[in-house]
Amino acid sequence: MVGWVLVVSFLYYRLFPFTDIIFGLPGISSVKITGAALSHILILSFYVISASGWGIVFWHRHHLSYLEKIVFSSGAGFAILSFIVLASDYLGLASNIFYFIILLAGFILFLTVAGKIHEHIVSGARYWMLIALIPMLSSLIGALAPPTQYDSLVYHLAFPKVYLESGKILFVPHNFYFSFPQNMEMLYQSAVSIDSDILANLIHWTFLALISFQVYTFSKRYLNRETGILAALIWFFTPLVLFLSTGTYIDLGLAFFVFLSFYNIILFNESKHDFWLYSAGFFAGTALGIKYTAVIPVLLLMLLTAYESKDSKAGAVNALKYLAVVLLLFSPWLLKNILFLNNPIAPWGTSLFTNSVITNEAASRYFSHIKAHGLGIYNIIDLLLLPWELTAYGFNFGGGFDILGPVFLLFIPFLIFRNKMTRIEIIVLFFTICYCFIWLLTGKVMRFLVPVLPFICILAALSLSNLSEIKWVKKTVYFILALSFIHNILLFHWVMASIDPYSVVIGKETREQYLTRKVNSFQALNEVINSLPENSKILNWGETRSYYIRRANITPTDFDRHPVIEWLGRSENEKDLETILKNEEITHILVNSFEIKRLGYEDKLSQKDKNIFEAFINRSLKLIYEDQYCRVYKI
C-alpha cells in the first residue's frame, strides 16, 4: 500500500516537480478585492438566494438535513429559473426587468420559508469548509475575470447575447452549436441581463461548492461523515474542476444535476415515495437540457430504478415514469430543434431527417473531432495504462485544462482490499464503472468525465478507509494526500499564470486591456468594429468567436461550411463575389490571420477560390484597420 503510494507519487512529481511549479507561479505583490468584484459577489448572493427561494418551497418540509435542503432547493431553483428564462425567450419576454422581478420573487420566497429549516452545521463540516476556502478563493480569482474561453465566446455566452438583443429565442445561423440544449445558457442569459458576464462566470463557480455539499451530505447519510469530508475535499482540490469553475462552461452544472438525480433515485429506492422518483426525473431532465451526454446517466439510472424494485413489472413502470419526466423536461429543446433546424435531435439524425439544417457533413466533422481526442486503446496494456495516461498526460484528452491530479490513481486501487462493500458502495462503484466504460466507447474527452467525478471522489475517499491501523502507515498516506492537495493548488495557479487573470481582478489593468491581451481579435473589435454605424454587418473570415461583436455579423464555427466557400463556388471572378456580398448586405470583413492559420481555413479553398478571394481583397476592399492578428476591410 505505502509502496504503491510512494511509487506513483515519485513518478507524478517527477513529471510536475514542485520546484518548477513554485518558480512558475505568478508574482503577486498584493491582493485586493475591488469594488466591482464585491458588487458581482453581492449580486451573485442575491441570485443564489433567489434560486434557493424558488426551490425551497418544495423541500423545506422533507426530513433532510440543513445542507441537504440547501443542495436540493438550490438545484430545483436553478432549474426553475432556467425554464422561466427559456419560456420568456419563447414568449418574447426576455428583458432585464422581467428577470429582476423573477429573482426578487425568489428572494422573498426564501425569506418567507428559510426560517423554518434553520439548523446548525456540525463542527466537522465547518472545519472542512474552512479548508475548502483555499480552492474556492483560488478559483474565484479566475471567475472574476472577463470570459476568454473559446466555447464561451462561440456559444455559451454568444447565444444569450443574441436572445437578449432580440428579446426572444431565434435561429443563430452558421453556428453548429445552436443544435445543442442550452439550460445553463439560460441561467447565463439572466445573469448577463441583470449584471454582466462576470455573474455568469460566478454562477458556474457556485456549482463547485454545491457539488461538494452533495458529496458530503450523500456520504454522511449513506456511508459515514469521514468519507463525506474526504470526498468533498478531494473534489475541491481536483485541478480540472477548479479550472472549469473559473469560466462559463457548463460541465459543473451538468455534474450537479446528474448527482442530484442519482441522489433522488437512492432516496426513492429507500422510501418508495413517488415524490423522489419524479424529482429524480426532474433533475435528470434538467441535466439532459444542459448537455446531450447526460443521456448516459439517464439510461444508467433507469436501469438502476428497474433493478432496485423487487417486482419486475413495478420496476419497469417506475423506470418509465422516470423517463417520462425526463423527456417532459427535455422537450423544450426538442421543440427548439424542430422549429429552427427541422431535426429534433440535431446534430444527430441528419440522415433520418433529410431537411435537417445541420448537415450530415457538419455533424460528421464534429463527431470526428470528438473521436480524435485521447489516446487509442488497441490492447489490454493500453487499457491498463489508461489511468496513468489520464493522470499524467490529461492534456491529451481535450486540452491544457484537463488535469486530474494524482489523488485518484494514488488511492482508488485500495478498494480491492475492501473486505465487504455496502449496497450503496456497490451502486456507486457500479454506476462509475458503467459510465467510464461508455465513455471509453465514445470520444475520450476528459471533460466528458466530469459528471462521474463526484462518484470517483467518493470511491477515492472510501479507499482511504481501508488504511491499515498501523499509525505510521496512516500518517504517511494522509501526509501524501495533503501533499497532493498542496501540489494541485500550486499547479492550478501555475497554469493560471499563463492566463493571468490576477491583474484585472485586483484592478491593475482594465477589462479592455485584459481582453486585448487574451483575445486576439478584441482590439480590432474594440477600436473599429463596435464603433461602426448600427446598420453595419460584419463577415468574419477565420474568427469564430462572436460574443464581443456588437454589430450584426456572420460568424461560422469551424464545423460549419463557411458561406464564403459557397459564394466563391458561385463566382467566376472577384466582381461576382462582391455582388453576392452586397446582396447579403455585408458592409465589412474581419480577417483574423492567426485563426485562419490555426483552423486551416485556407486548406478549405481550391486554388481557383484562393485566387478570386485574393483578387477581391486587393481590388474591391478598403483596408481600414490592421494589427498583428487582424485586418478590417470596408466593402
Side-chain angles (χ1 to χ4, degrees):
M1 183 181 292
V2 175
W4 170 265
V5 170
L6 292 175
V7 169
V8 171
S9 298
F10 172 77
L11 293 174
Y12 184 80
Y13 296 131
R14 188 179 178 188
L15 279 176
F16 302 99
F18 269 96
T19 51
D20 289 358
I21 290 173
I22 290 172
F23 285 118
L25 291 175
I28 303 175
S29 57
S30 63
V31 176
K32 63 178 180 179
I33 300 295
T34 64
L38 286 174
S39 173
H40 295 310
I41 293 170
L42 286 174
I43 297 173
L44 173 70
S45 302
F46 171 70
Y47 194 104
V48 174
I49 291 172
S50 300
S52 299
W54 279 104
I56 207 169
V57 175
F58 302 99
W59 301 106
H60 74 279
R61 294 185 183 276
H62 291 282
H63 297 293
L64 300 170
S65 71
Y66 179 65
L67 281 179
E68 283 179 314
K69 288 177 180 178
I70 288 177
V71 168
F72 282 68
S73 61
S74 297
F78 277 122
I80 290 169
L81 286 177
S82 177
F83 293 126
I84 289 175
V85 175
L86 177 58
S88 75
D89 280 342
Y90 271 117
L91 297 173
L93 299 175
S95 68
N96 57 348
I97 295 176
F98 176 77
Y99 298 142
F100 179 76
I101 292 172
I102 294 301
L103 290 171
L104 182 61
F107 190 83
I108 293 171
L109 282 171
F110 182 86
L111 295 180
T112 303
V113 180
K116 300 177 182 179
I117 65 167
H118 180 72
E119 175 185 311
H120 290 293
I121 300 175
V122 297
S123 59
R126 290 200 296 267
Y127 293 147
W128 74 256
M129 289 179 187
L130 286 174
I131 298 173
L133 285 177
I134 299 171
M136 282 294 288
L137 293 176
S138 294
S139 55
L140 177 62
I141 296 173
L144 285 169
T148 58
Q149 299 85 5
Y150 184 82
D151 287 357
S152 297
L153 306 189
V154 171
Y155 65 108
H156 291 322
L157 289 173
F159 293 159
K161 183 195 75 168
V162 171
Y163 303 157
L164 280 171
E165 290 172 349
S166 306
K168 61 182 179 180
I169 192 169
L170 76 168
F171 176 52
V172 181
H174 311 297
N175 195 316
F176 177 87
Y177 299 103
F178 179 76
S179 61
F180 291 178
Q182 299 165 31
N183 274 346
M184 283 295 291
E185 284 82 354
M186 295 298 97
L187 295 178
Y188 298 156
Q189 180 176 327
S190 61
V192 170
S193 175
I194 66 169
D195 181 40
S196 70
D197 44 37
I198 303 298
L199 180 59
N201 278 349
L202 291 172
I203 287 173
H204 193 242
W205 173 79
T206 300
F207 287 107
L208 176 67
L210 288 175
I211 292 173
S212 72
F213 292 161
Q214 283 180 327
V215 168
Y216 170 75
T217 57
F218 178 85
S219 300
K220 183 184 175 186
R221 174 182 282 268
Y222 292 109
L223 304 171
N224 57 72
R225 192 162 63 87
E226 181 185 2
T227 297
I229 292 172
L230 285 172
L233 288 175
I234 290 170
W235 166 263
F236 263 127
F237 283 89
T238 299
L240 173 60
V241 299
L242 291 177
F243 291 129
L244 290 174
S245 71
T246 63
T248 44
Y249 295 99
I250 60 174
D251 305 272
L252 298 189
L254 175 64
F256 175 71
F257 285 106
V258 166
F259 198 95
L260 268 184
S261 184
F262 176 85
Y263 207 147
N264 278 261
I265 288 292
I266 299 300
L267 286 167
F268 168 71
N269 291 335
E270 180 183 51
S271 67
K272 302 306 178 186
H273 290 163
D274 279 354
F275 172 83
W276 300 111
L277 180 65
Y278 294 137
S279 60
F282 175 81
F283 291 127
T286 303
L288 192 57
I290 291 175
K291 198 167 188 174
Y292 276 129
T293 53
V295 71
I296 299 173
V298 166
L299 293 176
L300 292 178
L301 292 176
M302 279 185 65
L303 292 174
L304 177 61
T305 302
Y307 177 78
E308 285 288 294
S309 299
K310 294 180 180 179
D311 180 81
S312 57
K313 183 178 179 180
V317 170
N318 289 333
L320 289 175
K321 286 180 181 178
Y322 173 78
L323 180 61
V325 178
V326 171
L327 293 178
L328 177 65
L329 271 292
F330 182 58
S331 60
W333 298 113
L334 297 175
L335 176 62
K336 181 265 292 182
N337 280 359
I338 291 172
L339 291 175
F340 297 111
L341 302 177
N342 302 321
N343 177 358
I345 56 174
W348 285 270
T350 52
S351 298
L352 180 63
F353 298 93
T354 54
N355 292 324
S356 175
V357 174
I358 300 294
T359 65
N360 189 57
E361 178 188 5
S364 297
R365 275 199 296 269
Y366 174 73
F367 294 133
S368 297
H369 169 75
I370 295 298
K371 290 177 182 177
H373 287 293
L375 304 176
I377 299 176
Y378 306 106
N379 50 54
I380 190 66
I381 300 299
D382 292 337
L383 184 61
L384 292 174
L385 288 176
L386 183 62
W388 170 250
E389 297 291 341
L390 286 167
T391 301
Y393 305 105
F395 41 82
N396 289 331
F397 295 84
F401 276 11
D402 296 322
I403 302 172
L404 282 176
V407 173
F408 304 113
L409 185 59
L410 281 171
F411 302 117
I412 285 184
F414 295 167
L415 280 175
I416 63 174
F417 299 117
R418 198 167 185 83
N419 294 326
K420 185 178 180 181
M421 298 188 75
T422 66
R423 170 180 155 273
I424 295 298
E425 291 171 4
I426 292 171
I427 290 174
V428 171
L429 179 61
F430 177 78
F431 182 90
T432 303
I433 291 173
C434 290
Y435 191 104
C436 292
F437 176 75
I438 296 172
W439 176 81
L440 282 173
L441 301 178
T442 59
K444 293 182 286 295
V445 179
M446 181 83 80
R447 281 193 293 130
F448 291 0
L449 278 178
V450 171
V452 81
L453 266 183
F455 300 88
I456 298 176
C457 290
I458 292 174
L459 293 176
L462 279 173
S463 68
L464 288 167
S465 65
N466 291 323
L467 291 175
S468 168
E469 292 302 319
I470 302 174
K471 286 186 177 181
W472 73 267
V473 171
K474 202 165 188 175
K475 287 182 178 180
T476 300
V477 173
Y478 271 100
F479 171 77
I480 292 176
L481 175 65
L483 197 67
S484 301
F485 286 167
I486 294 170
H487 187 274
N488 284 348
I489 283 294
L490 293 176
L491 184 65
F492 169 79
H493 285 288
W494 178 67
V495 173
M496 291 298 285
S498 62
I499 302 170
D500 189 18
Y502 308 95
S503 295
V504 67
V505 172
I506 64 177
K508 288 190 174 181
E509 66 177 342
T510 66
R511 175 185 173 95
E512 288 72 22
Q513 289 170 334
Y514 175 75
L515 289 173
T516 298
R517 186 161 54 86
K518 299 307 300 180
V519 180
N520 57 25
S521 60
F522 185 80
Q523 185 172 341
L525 301 180
N526 192 45
E527 294 188 10
V528 179
I529 295 295
N530 293 336
S531 300
L532 293 172
E534 293 286 342
N535 61 350
S536 301
K537 187 176 181 181
I538 317 303
L539 172 66
N540 283 299
W541 177 244
E543 181 57 64
T544 57
R545 299 159 293 183
S546 64
Y547 175 64
Y548 288 117
I549 302 176
R550 300 292 178 247
R551 296 293 181 268
N553 62 90
I554 297 176
T555 311
T557 72
D558 190 36
F559 302 113
D560 294 281
R561 180 175 173 81
H562 203 292
V564 164
I565 298 174
E566 178 187 342
W567 297 335
L568 284 168
R570 290 158 42 193
S571 304
E572 292 297 327
N573 51 53
E574 69 273 13
K575 289 298 182 182
D576 290 343
L577 181 59
E578 181 180 2
T579 300
I580 292 173
L581 264 63
K582 286 184 176 179
N583 289 338
E584 294 289 334
E585 299 181 341
I586 293 169
T587 60
H588 297 79
I589 297 178
L590 170 66
V591 178
N592 190 324
S593 303
F594 182 88
E595 293 296 300
I596 287 172
K597 183 176 181 180
R598 185 179 73 85
L599 297 173
Y601 265 51
E602 289 189 342
D603 297 336
K604 300 176 182 181
L605 300 179
S606 66
Q607 188 57 52
K608 169 181 170 289
D609 291 343
K610 289 179 182 178
N611 293 337
I612 293 175
F613 195 58
E614 185 176 351
F616 169 69
I617 289 177
N618 292 334
R619 300 172 189 173
S620 303
L621 302 181
K622 177 183 178 181
L623 180 66
I624 61 173
Y625 174 84
E626 184 174 14
D627 61 35
Q628 60 179 322
Y629 300 112
C630 298
R631 300 189 303 278
V632 178
Y633 296 94
K634 181 180 180 180
I635 296 179

